[in-house]
Amino acid sequence: MQLTIQAAGENVKAISYLLAKNPNNLYERSNKGHMVRFFYSKCTDTELEATIFVTPDPLELIQNKSNSYDITHYINDREFAVSSIFTSFIRSALGTALNGQPKEEYAEWVNHRFPFRFEFGPVASSLTDQQLKELFEPIGYEVTITRPEIDYSIHIKDRSSVRTISLAGMQTLQNGLRHLFVLIPVIDNYKHYFIDEKEIEKLERYGEGWLETHPLRDFIYRQALRFKEIYSLVEAANTPLEKKEPAKAVRLNDLRYEKIIGLLETRKPSSVVDFGSGEGKLSAKLGFLNGVQEILAVEPSQSATLKAVERFTKLQDDDLFTMPTTMWGSLFYFDERLQGKDAMVLCEVIEHIDEPRLPKALDTILHDYQPASLIISTPNREYNEVYAMEDHFRHADHRFEWTRTEFENWCNERNHQNLYELEFHGIGEEQSFYGHPTQLCMFKRKEEQS
C-alpha cells in the first residue's frame, strides 16, 4: 500500500523541507513489525515526486489478540490496502508535514499552495466511484479513479475490484495530508483499531478549516465513528440503519469550558477576566455564570475580537446574559483595569507564548493584578502518545507542551511568594499511563492575603 506525492512548478523543492526528508536518503523504519519506506524519485526546483509505502506483517497485526485464530484475518484484504491501517503506519513518518512544524527557516512554506497530485492505492472499499468523488471534489480536487486490468486463466472478471485514486489540486501540503488522514479511514469498510473519544479529536484537529463546511460532513462522521458506543445510533431499534443518526459528540473544548465554569461556580466571582479570549466562546458562556456582573474579554487580535463582538451581540437580548466588554490587551503590558478582579482565566493560552517569557507574565498576574482566583489550562504532552503524535505539538503555533510533572512544578515555582493555594485537575478522557488530554491548575488566593 502506497501514497505518491507529486508536484510541478516553481519552488516545489521546498516540499522536501516540509516533509523533513532528505531527497538523497531512503527513509526506512519498522513500525511494530511493519516496514515503512519513503523515497524521492524526483526532486528538483520544478519537479517533485515522493512515495511512501508500507509492507505489512499480517501475523503481527493479530499477535496477542483475543481473536487471533479467526481465519478472516488471513483472507481479508485490509492489511494490504490503503486504509485506516495505512494512515496509522505512516503518521509518524509524515508527522512534521501533517502538523505543519518544519524547521523555523522553512515555516513560510507551510501555508504555500502547490499544484499537487496525490495518488494512493490499492483501495478496497464498498463506496462507489461517484461517492469517492463526492468526498474529494468539494475540497478542491479533480478525482481520477482507475482499476488495474487483470488476466485470469479462467474468466472471473475483466477488471480488478480494487482501485487507485488520484487527486489533483492546488493545496498546501499540510491540508492535503489532513484531507487524506481524515478521508482514507472513511473509505475503509472498517477500522482496525478501537474507536474512542480520541477519534473525535483527530477529526477536529485534522478537519479544522474544511470538514465543518463539507457537504458530506455527517456522512464522514458516521463512517469515521460508526463503532463507538457513545455515538451509537439513537433511533428505535427497528429504524432502518441508513436513517439512523449518531448522538452529538462532546468536544474536548466544550469539556474545558464546562470544567472552568464549574470551578468558577464554587468561587462565586462577580468579575472575571478571560485572557486570550479569542473569538469569545468562553466569554459567551461566562456571560451566563450566576452572579457575574463584569466580564472582560482581553484579546490582542482585532479580527478575533470582531468575531467575539458578533457572538456577544446575538446573546445580548437574553435577560440572563451579562454582556462581556472586549479589550485589547497582552500578558506583557500592564493594565490597571485588570487589577483586583475576582477571577482570571487563561484557557489554552500559555502554550502559545515562548517559554522564557512566561515567568514575568505570571508574576504580573499573581503579584500585580492579584486576582482572587486564577485558572490556567494547557495540553498534557504525555497524552500526545494516545494521538500517535508524541514527537509533535498539537498545534503549529504551540511553543511548548508540558508533562503533568513539568506543569505542576512550573505552577509551584510561580507561586514563590506562597500567596495562593493550588489545585490541579484533568479534563477529558483519562488514560492509565498518560492522564488527561488537558491539565488545569486553579490558584486560590489565601484568605489572609485577600
Side-chain angles (χ1 to χ4, degrees), residues 417-434:
Q417 293 189 11
N418 199 32
L419 302 178
Y420 290 83
E421 294 177 357
L422 274 55
E423 283 184 10
F424 292 94
H425 300 268
I427 302 172
E429 181 192 24
E430 183 177 15
Q431 295 283 342
S432 299
F433 296 105
Y434 309 118

Side-chain angles (χ1 to χ4, degrees), residues 201-270:
E201 295 164 26
K202 287 181 188 176
L203 286 174
E204 292 181 343
R205 184 168 66 251
Y206 297 150
E208 183 180 2
W210 65 273
L211 182 53
E212 60 267 24
T213 59
H214 197 293
L216 294 183
R217 176 188 178 279
D218 291 343
F219 172 78
I220 292 169
Y221 266 83
R222 284 198 299 271
Q223 286 287 103
L225 308 172
R226 55 194 176 276
F227 299 130
K228 180 65 182 107
E229 182 181 354
I230 65 171
Y231 311 115
S232 60
L233 303 171
V234 295
E235 298 293 339
N238 59 356
T239 303
L241 183 61
E242 63 273 14
K243 294 184 178 180
K244 295 179 179 180
E245 295 292 335
K248 182 176 176 59
V250 179
R251 300 183 177 186
L252 179 58
N253 218 34
D254 293 331
L255 293 176
R256 292 189 192 107
Y257 297 157
E258 180 181 318
K259 183 68 173 182
I260 290 169
I261 296 294
L263 290 172
L264 288 177
E265 285 177 341
T266 66
R267 303 292 287 169
K268 298 180 172 56
S270 62

Side-chain angles (χ1 to χ4, degrees), residues 66-82:
S66 61
N67 58 350
S68 59
Y69 297 102
D70 183 352
I71 194 172
T72 60
H73 284 286
Y74 295 91
I75 63 175
N76 76 51
D77 54 16
R78 289 305 175 270
E79 289 84 355
F80 306 97
V82 169

